[in-house]
């Protein structure tokens, strides 16, 4: 599977893959659109997280030498982002966990708290990962790149309890991050549901075998109206 090549692709982006392996990987990508799409998903601009990443790395437990990456690299910043996400999920979600009500939408909203406009500032590479996430979920999601009022930036594969969860990231007209998450689920929800999650407005839209979650940049965002525009594209 394409995801099995992530370590090589990240090493290529970091410039630490040996020349011979890098040349071979580039040749392989030239003939494999799925591999090109995966590289585009991994090649994200993390400069907006750099200051926070450095602060987190300063206080984080030491990384074992056998997995350490060059400081400032894509892998290191991704590691720091993982630490940040762990802190968010450990702290922000603790009340939800104690209440026994957490689900994938809570975690998706908590993850969105990490986003800054700079996180999505890089130019869109290729199709932004849309073909890859569509294949991963088994549904053509290409229409989600054309949501009125949103500037599509990238799509990526996430996951929840062993199930595929994909996220489309956008900037709104004010340059603020917005997310649309899609997951195949049969949890029985049939109605549109708008809720505030971790200080963010969210709207859940059932669509056949899919659940779609729209996450706004703040609690005041009209995600129900935005969700209607998303639903029209499904």
């Amino acid at each position: 599977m394409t995801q099995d090549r992530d370590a090589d692709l990240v090493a290529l982006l970091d410039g630490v893959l040996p020349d011979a392996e890098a040349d071979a990987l580039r040749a392989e990508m030239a003939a494999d659109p799925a591999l090109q799409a995966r590289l585009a998903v991994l090649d994200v601009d993390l400069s907006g997280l750099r200051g926070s990443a450095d602060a987190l790395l300063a206080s984080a437990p030491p990384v074992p030498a056998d997995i350490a990456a060059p400081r400032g690299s894509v892998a290191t910043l991704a590691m720091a982002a993982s630490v940040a996400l762990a802190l968010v999920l450990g702290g922000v979600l603790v009340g939800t966990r104690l209440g026994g009500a957490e689900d994938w939408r809570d975690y998706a909203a908590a993850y969105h708290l990490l986003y800054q406009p700079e996180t999505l500032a890089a130019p869109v590479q290729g199709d932004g990962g849309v073909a890859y996430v569509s294949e991963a979920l088994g549904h053509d999601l290409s229409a989600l790149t054309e949501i009125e009022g949103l500037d599509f930036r990238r799509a990526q594969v996430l996951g929840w309890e062993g199930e595929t969860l994909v996220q489309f990231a956008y900037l709104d007209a004010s340059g603020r991050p917005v997310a649309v998450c899609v997951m195949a689920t049969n949890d029985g929800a049939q109605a549109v549901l708008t809720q505030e999650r971790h200080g963010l407005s969210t709207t859940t839209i059932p669509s056949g075998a899919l659940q779609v979650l729209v996450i706004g940049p703040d609690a005041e965002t009209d995600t129900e109206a935005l969700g209607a525009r998303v639903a029209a594209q499904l």
Side-chain angles (χ1 to χ4, degrees):
M1 293 179 62
T2 306
Q3 279 182 288
D4 295 337
R5 306 302 305 278
D6 282 5
D8 291 338
L9 292 170
V10 169
L12 179 67
L13 291 169
D14 274 357
V16 298
L17 194 65
D19 290 345
E21 295 180 34
D23 290 342
L25 183 54
R26 291 189 185 98
E28 185 178 349
M29 283 192 297
D32 188 346
L35 204 56
Q36 296 170 26
R38 186 59 182 166
L39 181 70
V41 170
L42 294 170
D43 187 15
V44 297
D45 181 11
L46 294 170
S47 60
L49 295 176
R50 190 174 300 277
S52 298
D54 287 342
L56 285 166
L57 285 173
S59 59
V63 178
D66 60 340
I67 64 170
R71 189 172 184 82
S73 67
V74 170
T76 300
L77 288 172
M79 210 177 302
S82 297
V83 173
L85 181 56
L87 293 174
V88 170
L89 297 184
V92 176
L93 289 179
V94 65
T96 307
R97 181 176 296 279
L98 291 174
E102 82 276 8
D103 62 19
W104 67 273
R105 293 166 294 187
D106 289 300
Y107 282 82
Y111 180 63
H112 192 70
L113 291 174
L114 297 175
Y115 275 60
Q116 300 295 318
E118 294 81 6
T119 311
L120 303 173
V124 178
Q125 300 294 318
D127 72 345
V130 174
Y132 181 78
V133 301
S134 295
E135 180 182 358
L137 197 61
H139 292 267
D140 181 6
L141 301 174
S142 57
L144 293 184
T145 62
E146 301 292 339
I147 307 298
E148 181 186 354
L150 297 180
D151 178 16
F152 169 71
R153 307 308 299 162
R154 70 163 185 255
Q156 62 180 337
V157 174
L158 303 174
W160 169 257
E161 296 186 343
E163 299 296 328
T164 299
L165 165 65
V166 305
Q167 182 211 56
F168 281 67
Y170 311 82
L171 293 175
D172 68 8
S174 299
R176 301 176 303 168
V178 171
V180 172
C181 300
V182 185
M183 185 174 178
T185 177
N186 58 355
D187 65 4
Q190 297 297 321
V192 173
L193 177 64
T194 297
Q195 295 174 300
E196 183 176 327
R197 297 175 186 267
H198 312 305
L200 302 173
S201 177
T202 72
T203 293
T204 305
I205 309 159
S207 179
L210 300 177
Q211 283 271 353
V212 181
L213 177 69
V214 179
I215 307 173
D218 56 39
E220 305 305 317
T221 304
D222 187 355
T223 52
E224 190 164 343
L226 180 55
R229 298 202 295 273
V230 172
Q233 298 296 97
L234 293 174

